[in-house]
Amino acid sequence: MSRSVRIAAAVTAVGAATAATLSLTAAQATAAAGPYKGLPNGTKQAKTLVIGIDGTRYDKLIAGDAPNLKGLIAGGMTATSNLYANPLAPTLSGPGWSTIATGVWPDKHGVKDNTFTGSHYDLYPDLATRLETAAPAASTLVIASWSPVADTVFNGRADLRIPEADNDTKTAADAADYLRNGNPDTTFLHFDQVDEAGHAHGGASPQYAAAIHSVDALVGQVLQAVKARPGYAAEDWLIVVTTDHGHTDAGGHGGNSANERQTFVIADGTGFTPGSTRQDVKPVDVAPTVLKHEGVTPDPAWKLDGRPVDEITPDAFDTLRPALQTRADETGIPAGTKGWTRTAPSGWSIDNSRMPGGGVTEWRGWAFATDEFWTAAQLGQARETNVRARNVFAVADSDEWDDTSHGAGQFDSTLLSPRYPVGGAATATLTYTTDYKVDGPQTGDVYVVFDSGTPQLVKSYRADANGFERIAIPVPAGATTAQLQFRYTGTNSAFWTVDQVALTR
């Protein structure tokens, strides 16, 4: 059965919280001593439950009859974002659950379909394996209605893995049993019937809505088991609800439509404001958030793409979201979608002195956009690979700009940063995320200007690049400020995106 990727994560605190890394009291440990049906006894007050609901569209969840899931939404934070699509990976379950479990995107974990051929779980193991490696006494449980989640995605060091063979009722019953009577520290559940209804009847069908309602009742059964635990009042629970993809209205997934790519994260607990919303949290953030809750600090050497949710902070580009506009020249983007501006945030500026007149208004030089707006300009041209950007990002798109007549010459625009203080430092560190895609003659260059000096080349792009950049820049003696310049040129080529830019001493 195929799968796709759109993420939902919901976090709820279901007990009085103490420090997430503390061990159980002696009395609690004694009461829960010994393994339960093959599952070792847990050792932590910090407890995590991740519930994956396969193939669930967020718009249909919100419109549907799902009181338990909506209770988690009302009690915490909701974050929506979009998945990748080809050529990074299709919106299928293999890549989707691998992304959630490992905290990295498909170009790292290597899973491109449901055969799992080319997987790199040895380099990017699942969250249970990470936890067991860092804290061997931890108790980890995986129960999945789609067997590959338990058999393949979580194929490392989880203490107990139970594939349920497409039986959501048994998944919920077993989970409730272990959570009520056993003592797992971290539990990962997977329900499948919403995806099955999507394939059989379509994402806009009454059967799909009924499947959401049915799974919601099973989620309620599991949550009640958590609350019935003898040590519940002294435990610090993090509950995450997520999905691997959406569905088309007619049914199916794997493509790049908005309905297939939509994803969500809902977080309720310490540090999460009830009823709040965000646009900068993604599926890759589930694993590092769970690990941090369980007292394991993600190591930079792991090269995770995700971050603990409480460590994700808005950047200057994100401040533009309230001022984003609807389409001007673009015709493929829905008329009511707000998602672009060429007005830079405070301290930033755009030099279009080398730009010819004309071209598509939205992309006349560097612009700032959201994924839902920019990717809709033209599907299937790799814009869906820009997964490492969060919320609003900067984009130079010579391909879309060239779709309307313009003056002689190529796209040539420079994005200029604020002036960062560097006085007294021998080295400054430049960090940013980038997605540079080549499809014809183009250049991408990063410069630094110290005080009022001449630009110095820091980084050049001439081939595809998608990732995090971390560049050490020597600071000349006596320099007090540094400004960054991102210059892009192209002739009906592809694009360059930049986000989360920082220069630190």
Side-chain angles (χ1 to χ4, degrees):
M1 180 181 296
S2 58
R3 308 284 193 271
S4 241
V5 183
R6 155 106 185 167
I7 297 265
V11 185
T12 184
V14 295
T18 56
T21 58
L22 293 179
S23 297
L24 290 172
T25 65
Q28 290 171 316
T30 299
Y36 181 76
K37 295 184 178 179
L39 180 69
N41 184 51
T43 61
K44 297 174 177 289
Q45 281 182 311
K47 303 291 184 184
T48 307
L49 169 62
V50 181
I51 303 174
I53 308 176
D54 209 296
T56 305
R57 281 172 49 173
Y58 183 71
D59 61 334
K60 299 302 182 182
L61 168 60
I62 292 302
D65 182 9
N68 294 294
L69 293 170
K70 289 181 180 180
L72 296 177
I73 292 170
M77 174 212 74
T78 301
T80 56
S81 65
N82 295 322
L83 293 173
Y84 45 77
N86 275 323
L88 199 66
T91 46
L92 300 175
S93 283
W97 293 117
S98 298
T99 296
I100 295 164
T102 64
V104 299
W105 295 110
D107 54 358
K108 287 185 179 178
H109 63 61
V111 178
K112 299 299 181 70
D113 54 34
N114 291 346
T115 69
F116 299 92
T117 302
S119 63
H120 301 307
Y121 295 130
D122 55 334
L123 300 176
Y124 304 101
D126 63 83
L127 64 89
T129 297
R130 295 279 193 199
L131 179 58
E132 292 284 355
T133 301
S139 177
T140 51
L141 171 67
V142 178
I143 307 177
S145 292
W146 190 50
S147 297
V149 172
D151 290 338
T152 305
V153 177
F154 287 86
N155 66 350
R157 297 183 59 183
D159 289 313
L160 183 60
R161 294 178 288 135
I162 305 174
E164 296 287 18
D166 295 322
N167 190 335
D168 282 357
T169 300
K170 192 169 187 304
T171 294
D174 282 353
D177 180 24
Y178 277 102
L179 288 166
R180 181 183 295 107
N181 302 308
N183 191 26
D185 293 319
T186 295
T187 303
F188 190 101
L189 305 183
H190 169 275
F191 293 114
D192 204 38
Q193 64 183 277
V194 176
D195 184 62
E196 293 175 344
H199 282 291
H201 305 286
S205 68
Q207 292 89 342
Y208 188 82
I212 291 176
H213 175 67
S214 176
V215 167
D216 180 79
L218 297 179
V219 170
Q221 177 183 343
V222 173
L223 295 179
Q224 285 300 316
V226 169
K227 295 176 183 178
R229 290 172 54 80
Y232 167 75
E235 294 170 339
D236 177 16
W237 277 89
L238 170 68
I239 298 179
V240 177
V241 181
T242 188
T243 188
D244 60 331
H245 58 75
H247 265 277
T248 64
D249 282 351
H253 54 86
N256 56 13
S257 72
N259 285 338
E260 293 165 275
R261 294 180 62 219
Q262 61 172 271
T263 183
F264 60 95
V265 174
I266 305 157
D268 180 2
T270 303
F272 296 106
T273 302
S276 61
T277 60
R278 295 179 67 164
Q279 293 84 25
D280 57 358
V281 176
K282 299 197 170 193
V284 288
D285 301 320
V286 171
T289 299
V290 169
L291 290 169
K292 184 174 180 179
H293 183 74
E294 292 298 318
V296 177
T297 301
D299 189 333
W302 297 347
K303 297 182 179 179
L304 299 185
D305 291 319
R307 298 171 59 189
V309 171
D310 66 346
E311 296 180 13
I312 300 170
T313 57
D315 66 6
F317 303 158
D318 297 339
T319 65
L320 297 173
R321 182 171 276 271
L324 297 179
Q325 306 169 49
T326 56
R327 70 188 191 194
D329 293 339
E330 289 284 6
T331 58
I333 300 171
T337 301
K338 292 183 178 181
W340 77 281
T341 181
R342 294 208 318 269
T343 301
S346 177
W348 289 78
S349 61
I350 299 170
D351 178 4
N352 281 341
S353 61
R354 303 181 187 92
M355 282 288 297
V360 173
T361 297
E362 289 91 331
W363 319 117
R364 192 176 297 150
W366 279 95
F368 305 92
T370 62
D371 177 88
E372 58 267 25
F373 187 91
W374 182 53
T375 55
Q378 182 65 58
L379 299 180
Q381 293 185 336
R383 291 178 181 85
E384 298 89 351
T385 65
N386 188 41
V387 290
R388 291 179 173 91
R390 294 179 183 269
N391 200 357
V392 181
F393 52 89
V395 55
D397 190 331
S398 63
D399 179 57
E400 281 301 297
W401 169 75
D402 195 62
D403 284 353
T404 297
S405 62
H406 55 78
Q410 64 180 351
F411 183 110
D412 190 341
S413 180
T414 302
L415 175 65
L416 295 88
S417 78
R419 294 191 175 276
Y420 298 95
V422 294
T427 303
T429 301
L430 170 61
T431 55
Y432 57 96
T433 65
T434 191
D435 190 5
Y436 184 85
K437 183 68 177 177
V438 177
D439 185 27
Q442 66 179 51
T443 66
D445 295 307
V446 183
Y447 298 90
V448 63
V449 178
F450 291 102
D451 296 331
S452 57
T454 58
Q456 302 176 28
L457 184 65
V458 171
K459 178 79 175 181
S460 285
Y461 296 95
R462 299 295 184 270
D464 292 356
N466 188 347
F468 297 99
E469 298 286 10
R470 185 178 185 88
I471 304 169
I473 303 174
V475 177
T480 59
T481 65
Q483 184 183 51
L484 305 169
Q485 299 181 355
F486 298 84
R487 183 182 180 187
Y488 173 85
T489 73
T491 303
N492 193 23
S493 308
F495 57 80
W496 187 14
T497 70
V498 174
D499 197 20
Q500 302 160 55
V501 181
L503 187 69
T504 56
R505 293 180 285 184

